[in-house]
Amino acid sequence: MSRAGHMSTRVLFHALNHVGLGHLNRTLAVAEHLRDAGLDLRALFLIEGGQELIDATPYPWIQIPAFGDFRTERWRAQFSIEECERYTQGLAAAAMDVFQPSLLVSDTVLYPPVFEPALARGARSILIGRVGGLLRRQLSEERGRLARIDLLLVPHHEAELSPARRDLLGQLPRPGVFAGP
């Protein structure tokens, strides 16, 4: 409950950060938009990097291992990919058990160690999906997972998409909402 006595909305944000800070920037922009729209927002970020960016915000965060880390010699010498994903899923699940989000916002990828525990705990889900190779790969390899999202938020103007990219969106199990700059 918030101080005003009504329920706040608890949103867990997952930002992939393998290269650059674009994923984290997009999720931060969504959090700011929700807060600016007057939502009584309680946010928690699961990040894979970008501490210097998120430290300048009011949002708490927990760092989880980046998927790319699991491919490094340091991890591979000790653990299999499956063990690494179970480790990450345990961290994510423990955070969710305490935070109890009603919504998961994922940027670009529905990462199973984060996505599955959120849905198992009754959270709804939004995918921020740029129209490109990663979305195409998820369509071909993980269509069932994409069918379980509640909303696809497309950070493009519809007019800027080529016909081939519009066709890609037409293959999605859920319609997208355009939210371009």
Side-chain angles (χ1 to χ4, degrees), residues 45-101:
F45 282 75
L46 294 182
I47 64 170
E48 298 179 9
Q51 300 86 336
E52 64 281 355
L53 178 64
I54 201 164
D55 274 345
T57 75
Y59 303 113
W61 55 271
I62 297 171
Q63 179 148 357
I64 60 174
F67 180 74
D69 290 347
F70 300 155
R71 302 217 182 294
T72 64
E73 186 58 37
R74 179 176 49 158
W75 281 88
R76 287 186 313 165
Q78 301 291 321
F79 306 102
S80 70
I81 294 288
E82 293 78 19
E83 289 171 316
C84 293
E85 288 183 342
R86 280 196 310 272
Y87 172 70
T88 301
Q89 185 164 341
L91 291 173
M96 289 177 215
D97 286 343
V98 173
F99 185 63
Q100 300 178 344

Side-chain angles (χ1 to χ4, degrees), residues 126-175:
I126 294 175
L127 174 63
I128 303 170
R130 290 186 52 83
V131 182
L134 282 172
L135 190 59
R136 184 173 286 107
R137 183 184 60 78
Q138 288 182 97
L139 261 173
S140 66
E141 298 173 12
E142 302 166 12
R143 190 178 209 66
R145 194 170 295 123
L146 275 175
R148 295 166 53 210
I149 65 171
D150 294 289
L151 176 69
L152 174 67
L153 185 61
V154 183
H156 300 278
H157 281 293
E158 187 173 7
E160 71 185 30
L161 296 180
S162 68
R165 290 187 177 211
R166 281 194 199 109
D167 289 345
L168 176 63
L169 285 178
Q171 298 172 34
L172 293 170
R174 297 263 185 277

Side-chain angles (χ1 to χ4, degrees), residues 1-12 34-35 38-44 98-103:
M1 287 243 186
S2 72
R3 282 178 247 172
H6 65 281
M7 294 295 288
S8 57
T9 301
R10 293 173 178 253
V11 181
L12 181 67
L34 293 173
R35 186 163 286 187
L39 185 67
D40 186 8
L41 177 68
R42 302 234 3 233
L44 176 64
V98 173
F99 185 63
Q100 300 178 344
S102 58
L103 179 64

